[in-house]
Amino acid sequence: MPDDVKRAAIVAAQAPPKTRTTNYPEPFASRMVGREKRPLGDLFGLTNFGVNLTRLAPGSASSLRHAHSKQDEFVYVLEGEPTLVTDAGETQLKAGMCAGFKAGTGDAHQLVNRGDADAVFLEVGDRTPGDAARYPDNDIQAVLGPDGRWQYSRKDGTPF
């Protein structure tokens, strides 16, 4: 279907996956093996917030553990049992459970699939300009540029 055709509804699992598995530079990009994102919101031309249908193979992670300065995030688990890792510790999630991450709290989070089956969840996040992401476990930081793309550097400001 051409990109300029407006969609009313789709089967989410049939949406095309992102062509790039991650925007992270190496050595972090290779940690995202086993993660597949289908950007659902983009298919409908949504600009205020994004929605991804994300599948994590066993042993994979949703992201590096991170916290946003301005972007709220929400996840809703559809299948599997991913582990939510936050500053407070770990919580086993299962289908029907959800979690939210308020911007500016500094509480870093990620989902990790330590199970034997795929985990599938919806990710929802706003697209607030000027957002920044902090990664407490890794030597990386990010700022959302005016073009809507993440710009990564080491914590001392050195570019990758």
Side-chain angles (χ1 to χ4, degrees), residues 3 9 18 21 23 30 38 51 57 65 84 98-99 103 108 111 115 117-119 127-128 140 146 152 158:
D3 288 338
K18 284 189 172 184
T21 57
N23 294 325
S30 56
R38 296 176 186 273
V51 181
R65 201 167 70 89
L84 171 63
C98 59
L111 294 176
D118 286 359
R127 295 177 173 172
T128 304
I140 186 172
Y152 295 95
T158 307

Side-chain angles (χ1 to χ4, degrees), residues 25-37:
E26 286 298 354
F28 308 106
S30 56
R31 293 190 196 174
M32 298 301 107
V33 171
R35 178 186 79 176
E36 177 187 79
K37 289 188 177 210

